[in-house]
Amino acid sequence: MSEVVDILLSAAFWAATLRIATPLILGTLGELICERAGVLNLGIEGIMTAGAMSGWLFVHLGAPLWAGVLLAALVGAAFGLLHGFFTVPLGLSQHVTGIGITLLATSLAYFTYRVLLPQATSPPRIEPFQPLGLTWLGPALAPQTALTWLALLLVPVVAWALYRTPLGLAVRTCGENPAAAEAQGIDVYAVRIGAVMVGSALMAVGGAFLTLSAFNAFFFEMVNGRGWICVALVVFASWRPGKALLGALLFGAFDAFQVRLQQLSGGVLPYQIFLMLPFLLSIMALIVMSRRAAYPQALMRPYVKGQR
């Protein structure tokens, strides 16, 4: 028991929690923006993979790190435009289209890697973002990189944009009552597609964090289900940015804790049990929170202009 307490009180544990939570924060914020506008984006897993690969590849070819982040965001926005085109004006199934985007984006990322680096037996390394070294903030925050701080900063920015600006009101209205939005002169199609593009850009930046900050190379399957966790965290957060941050940190803490539990167990239990724990605990938390979740009323409902 004392070892568990020592883990929870250690700065290294909380530093790892923030690092693990960073791509989840970005991905959850992106999915939240999409769903607030009324569009479910199940392409998140593939978009994060494409963002991870494109950002890393651009830096590997000689671009600065921030240029890699920007390219990842543009790639994500492009996939968001594709998803928005199929689901908003054409009204196709958001579930099927999202799965298709995931398969397309993942396959393109792997194909591009194989075509451009056919002789690579191991992924080439890059020089990733370095910790900012803000020691005066404490040992848990000092090891964090600029992308983690960007993710934390975006939480209040997204909350302010959604709840304190006319554009945020338009996004939420399109997700709640698109007919009322159109009656106020709002172009529902433009708002929804724009929200999906912005949200997808954030998802891709979350993927780029893995290759440009957490690691220094691109590996197949490195996203490893984080996109699906982000979809669940949006429900956990009741579509609110502040709660989304809390949910991402909670999952990050579970994940960081299971790694340390594996070391404490000394191999007595199969490691798969520990890998399962963060997902199991997240499902339990999701069940508790989703009972009171108030989802956008027009979520996943196609809208036809002029329809009443």
Side-chain angles (χ1 to χ4, degrees):
M1 186 63 182
S2 61
E3 292 88 349
V4 173
V5 174
D6 290 341
I7 289 174
L8 295 177
L9 294 179
S10 67
F13 168 75
W14 292 106
T17 295
L18 268 175
R19 186 172 61 253
I20 295 170
T22 298
L24 300 177
I25 295 170
L26 292 165
T28 304
L29 287 177
E31 183 66 31
L32 186 148
I33 292 172
C34 295
E35 294 190 19
R36 271 294 185 180
V39 180
L40 175 69
N41 191 350
L42 293 183
I44 181 171
E45 185 82 3
I47 290 171
M48 290 182 75
T49 301
M53 199 286 299
S54 59
W56 164 80
L57 183 61
F58 200 38
V59 173
H60 172 63
L61 294 176
L65 287 167
W66 283 109
V69 174
L70 178 60
L71 178 68
L74 292 175
V75 168
F79 281 112
L81 176 61
L82 184 62
H83 182 66
F85 172 73
F86 282 123
T87 58
V88 179
L90 298 184
L92 300 182
S93 169
Q94 296 179 11
H95 296 88
V96 175
T97 302
I99 297 297
I101 293 293
T102 283
L103 295 174
L104 174 65
T106 302
S107 300
L108 282 177
Y110 293 169
F111 177 75
T112 303
Y113 177 90
R114 289 299 189 192
V115 168
L116 296 182
L117 300 167
Q119 305 301 325
T121 56
S122 61
R125 309 288 171 169
I126 63 169
E127 187 64 31
F129 281 99
Q130 298 300 311
L132 296 182
L134 304 177
T135 55
W136 54 277
L137 290 175
L141 295 175
Q144 307 305 326
T145 65
L147 286 182
T148 296
W149 290 105
L150 175 65
L152 294 174
L153 177 63
L154 283 173
V155 174
V157 169
V158 170
W160 172 80
L162 282 176
Y163 295 102
R164 294 291 185 270
T165 66
L167 179 59
L169 178 60
V171 169
R172 289 186 290 117
T173 304
C174 288
E176 294 287 348
N177 191 336
E182 187 180 52
Q184 295 297 317
I186 297 172
D187 188 334
V188 176
Y189 288 1
V191 171
R192 283 188 166 183
I193 292 176
V196 174
M197 291 179 66
V198 171
S200 299
L202 289 180
M203 297 170 191
V205 173
F209 170 84
L210 297 174
T211 52
L212 301 182
S213 185
F215 306 103
N216 59 358
F218 174 75
F219 305 94
F220 292 170
E221 306 295 340
M222 72 182 310
V223 174
N224 195 29
R226 287 179 175 87
W228 309 124
I229 290 295
C230 291
V231 175
L233 286 177
V234 172
V235 181
F236 172 86
S238 300
W239 291 267
R240 294 184 177 276
K243 285 187 175 181
L245 172 62
L246 175 62
L249 290 173
L250 187 63
F251 184 87
F254 290 157
D255 204 2
F257 189 60
Q258 66 87 10
V259 173
R260 287 153 178 80
L261 278 182
Q262 286 188 51
Q263 298 169 351
L264 286 179
S265 71
V268 175
L269 295 173
Y271 73 92
Q272 290 90 346
I273 292 179
F274 297 100
L275 292 176
M276 177 183 67
L277 282 177
F279 296 93
L280 181 61
L281 293 173
S282 298
I283 289 172
M284 294 172 61
L286 179 63
I287 291 172
V288 173
M289 296 299 295
S290 63
R291 291 175 178 269
R292 296 172 293 182
Y295 63 91
Q297 293 300 304
L299 179 61
M300 297 183 289
R301 293 183 181 178
Y303 181 71
V304 179
K305 285 188 175 183
Q307 187 181 57
R308 290 293 184 269

